[in-house]
Amino acid sequence: MKAICFYFQIHQPFRLKRYRFFDIGNDHYYYDDFANDDIITNIAERSYIPAAETLLKMIEDSKGKFHCAISITGVALEQCEQYVPQFVDLLKKLADTGCVEFLSETYAHSLASLTDLEEFESQVKAHDEKLFQLFGVKPKVLRNTELIYFDDLAPQIASMGYKGVITEGAKHILGWKSPNYVYSSVSAPKLKILMKNDKLSDDITFRFSDHEWSEYPLTADRYIDWIASTPKEEQVINLFMNLETFGQMQSRETGIFQFLEALPRFAEEKGISFVTPTDVVSKIKPTAPLSVVHPISWADEARDTSAWLGNKLQNEAFNKLYSIAERVRLCDDRRLKQDWLYLQASDHFFYMSTKHCNDGQVHSLFSPYETPFQAFTNYMNVLADFIVRVEEQYPLSIENEELNSLLTTIRNQACEIETLNKEVASMRLNIQHLGDELAEENPSKVEKKEEKAPAKATAKKAKGTKKTAK
């Protein structure tokens, strides 16, 4: 039976305010609260909330046969909790249906996987803890930032306990192969790879309301016919897109919500089911191993990481940020660590892109800055102040070798303390068990001691009363 695997992404960064050179050392608050509130509130009202309500209706109307997956970053969740808590309530309802899977990803939508695997793992764990706290779910499939994936990352993902990873069905990787199969990683054979069907996903995301498109207008029945007509052996069609496709990129007036809502009915007529990524990796065997030597993503035509690291500005900012990673991890300052997360959002580097033509238009569309150079200058001013704050706790004069030695010492001491605490707890437990065993062997002695104790207390009280009478 053929199946559709729908996945929806939700992310909004904490946008930076205009931060001047003269603010360095004087102003440690970097965020544009008004813009963050305004943007996420508007997108939630136009897209997130009606889309979530539509998904709930699809689950109800299909009697639980419609399934999908959602991935929402930690920084987006924080903003939703603060500005649009009603959307968080809708996400909880979706989680409670048991028909919606929540995927794992980096907390800050960062590029840590490209340079710092320790930071990558830390963020993924923080994200999973946030999901469990809010929705009571534990993800089994990972979606890295912007669907970034490469062979060297696979062993790390597998070691963290994930059964699958989703990424872009990049043509230069697949070649003649189809994205409608399950693949396995060459560097971690037990890790399964789900690849986005680029054409069918983009037909909804970008072409749905394009009057010049030869297939316009796209209807739900015709779309399902396209999926049904794919080769019989191709078992799963992965449709990955941002949730804001519905209501934001494709406005309500285009009929996008009615299109989405009608899909389960026409799919059922064709014998097509809806599954989650975990369903896929659990039930479908991989067709073949897949090698991805260089990082791929779902951004731009190149489907690589050049959207964030394609020029000198981006690389300068990126390398400067992660050069202080070890020092930040040593800090106990909660505010410093929070800023560290927010500054890692890939969006800050995306705004610095100098790509031209169609790619450039997409980059400028999402940027709050007039030029990439303005985005770079503003970010580097903020980063300069942040580094000053880090240096106050761990001076940059400390060489990396010395810092690594210090880190090793601290970690060894932490392990030693943990071992000693376990030994103490074990000894206390043994003493308690020994006391219980003695009590069971000589219950009469324990009873006599208990009888003597109140007798002595009574005699002492009587003696005190006599002294008072005298």
Side-chain angles (χ1 to χ4, degrees):
M1 176 184 278
K2 198 176 295 294
I4 296 172
C5 182
F6 254 125
Y7 148 71
F8 306 108
Q9 168 66 21
I10 303 167
H11 168 64
Q12 292 297 327
F14 279 94
R15 292 165 182 83
L16 303 176
K17 66 183 180 182
R18 293 296 186 268
Y19 195 88
R20 303 170 302 162
F21 174 80
F22 300 103
D23 292 325
I24 299 172
N26 298 313
D27 182 3
H28 301 321
Y29 190 78
Y30 311 133
Y31 313 105
D32 189 337
D33 291 336
F34 176 79
N36 290 324
D37 183 355
D38 183 59
I39 290 171
I40 199 164
T41 300
N42 285 334
I43 292 177
E45 289 176 354
R46 291 170 57 88
S47 172
Y48 295 162
I49 292 174
E53 290 173 341
T54 301
L55 293 177
L56 280 168
K57 190 173 189 303
M58 292 164 72
I59 292 169
E60 183 181 344
D61 291 348
S62 67
K63 297 180 180 178
K65 292 180 181 178
F66 175 76
H67 292 77
C68 67
I70 289 176
S71 185
I72 179 168
T73 61
V75 290
L77 270 172
E78 284 188 29
Q79 291 183 70
C80 288
E81 287 180 292
Q82 185 174 354
Y83 301 119
V84 279
Q86 63 271 36
F87 177 58
V88 179
D89 292 337
L90 282 172
L91 290 177
K92 289 178 181 176
K93 288 181 180 179
L94 285 169
D96 290 342
T97 63
C99 298
V100 177
E101 177 180 356
F102 283 81
L103 302 181
S104 182
E105 65 171 286
T106 58
Y107 191 95
H109 201 67
S110 75
L111 303 173
S113 61
L114 298 175
T115 187
D116 190 335
L117 290 183
E118 185 177 347
E119 178 64 25
F120 168 74
E121 183 173 350
S122 174
Q123 282 196 36
V124 170
K125 285 182 178 178
H127 177 264
D128 287 2
E129 288 171 3
K130 184 76 172 176
L131 288 184
F132 186 75
Q133 173 197 342
L134 288 175
F135 311 125
V137 298
K138 293 183 178 180
K140 297 178 182 178
V141 175
L142 183 131
R143 178 263 188 206
N144 192 19
T145 303
E146 303 292 339
L147 298 192
I148 291 173
Y149 173 79
F150 52 103
D151 289 341
D152 289 346
L153 184 61
Q156 178 77 9
I157 296 172
S159 69
M160 293 164 67
Y162 298 103
K163 305 300 180 185
V165 61
I166 68 174
T167 188
E168 173 67 24
K171 292 177 182 177
H172 67 280
I173 297 297
L174 285 170
W176 56 269
K177 302 185 189 75
S178 168
N180 305 332
Y181 291 100
V182 177
Y183 295 92
S184 62
S185 168
V186 294
S187 54
K190 291 185 178 180
L191 184 70
K192 295 181 180 179
I193 304 172
L194 303 186
M195 307 198 82
K196 169 189 164 191
N197 186 304
D198 190 43
K199 181 192 177 301
L200 289 172
S201 296
D202 289 353
D203 283 344
I204 298 175
T205 305
F206 300 112
R207 294 183 279 271
F208 182 80
S209 60
D210 183 1
H211 290 257
E212 296 182 2
W213 184 32
S214 60
E215 302 294 342
Y216 179 86
L218 180 60
T219 58
D221 57 338
R222 189 144 56 96
Y223 188 76
I224 292 297
D225 283 342
W226 290 349
I227 292 174
S229 65
T230 56
K232 186 177 180 181
E233 61 272 15
E234 296 182 0
Q235 293 178 285
V236 59
I237 312 297
N238 298 308
L239 304 176
F240 303 157
M241 59 199 73
N242 289 310
L243 189 63
E244 60 207 68
T245 295
F246 305 92
Q248 183 72 14
M249 297 178 71
Q250 304 295 337
S251 67
R252 178 186 288 274
E253 291 73 24
T254 64
I256 190 69
F257 289 110
Q258 290 84 351
F259 168 83
L260 179 63
E261 189 177 327
L263 289 176
R265 178 163 55 88
F266 290 107
E268 187 174 20
E269 291 176 2
K270 295 289 184 178
I272 298 172
S273 62
F274 290 87
V275 293
T276 64
T278 294
D279 291 334
V280 177
V281 299
S282 300
K283 299 174 183 178
I284 301 179
K285 292 182 179 180
T287 302
L290 190 74
S291 177
V292 183
V293 178
H294 303 291
I296 58 173
S297 76
W298 68 351
D300 299 345
E301 293 180 5
R303 298 296 194 261
D304 56 14
T305 59
S306 60
W308 310 276
L309 300 174
N311 63 40
K312 291 182 179 179
L313 300 179
Q314 294 168 312
N315 281 281
E316 169 68 18
F318 181 78
N319 293 331
K320 193 76 171 176
L321 174 67
Y322 283 100
S323 69
I324 57 171
E326 292 286 10
R327 288 169 169 80
V328 176
R329 281 195 281 270
L330 283 171
C331 296
D332 294 323
D333 188 329
R334 288 182 64 187
R335 182 68 206 182
L336 202 67
K337 293 205 169 194
Q338 185 181 57
D339 290 337
W340 165 247
L341 280 175
Y342 295 172
L343 290 177
Q344 287 185 73
S346 63
D347 309 72
H348 303 308
F349 306 99
F350 189 80
Y351 302 149
M352 300 175 200
S353 176
T354 51
K355 284 190 170 185
H356 299 294
C357 302
N358 292 333
D359 286 351
Q361 291 173 13
V362 172
H363 286 246
S364 62
L365 178 67
F366 291 100
S367 177
Y369 302 97
E370 293 178 6
T371 67
F373 306 100
Q374 189 184 83
F376 172 76
T377 302
N378 200 68
Y379 183 81
M380 292 305 283
N381 285 342
V382 170
L383 188 56
D385 182 80
F386 180 74
I387 290 174
V388 169
R389 292 164 59 202
V390 174
E391 190 173 8
E392 287 175 355
Q393 299 198 32
Y394 291 95
L396 299 183
S397 58
I398 301 176
E399 296 295 333
N400 283 336
E401 289 184 8
E402 188 179 348
L403 182 64
N404 288 332
S405 176
L406 178 62
L407 281 169
T408 302
T409 302
I410 290 172
R411 286 167 183 162
N412 289 341
Q413 288 176 345
C415 291
E416 189 176 345
I417 290 169
E418 186 179 355
T419 302
L420 290 172
N421 284 335
K422 286 180 180 178
E423 288 178 3
V424 169
S426 178
M427 288 173 68
R428 284 177 177 166
L429 194 62
N430 289 337
I431 291 169
Q432 185 179 345
H433 286 327
L434 185 60
D436 292 342
E437 288 175 4
L438 289 172
E440 289 176 5
E441 290 175 4
N442 302 294
S444 58
K445 289 183 179 180
V446 176
E447 288 174 5
K448 285 177 181 178
K449 284 182 180 179
E450 289 176 352
E451 288 173 2
K452 286 179 181 179
K456 286 180 179 178
T458 307
K460 191 175 181 180
K461 187 175 180 183
K463 190 175 181 182
T465 306
K466 285 178 182 179
K467 285 182 179 179
T468 306
K470 286 179 181 178

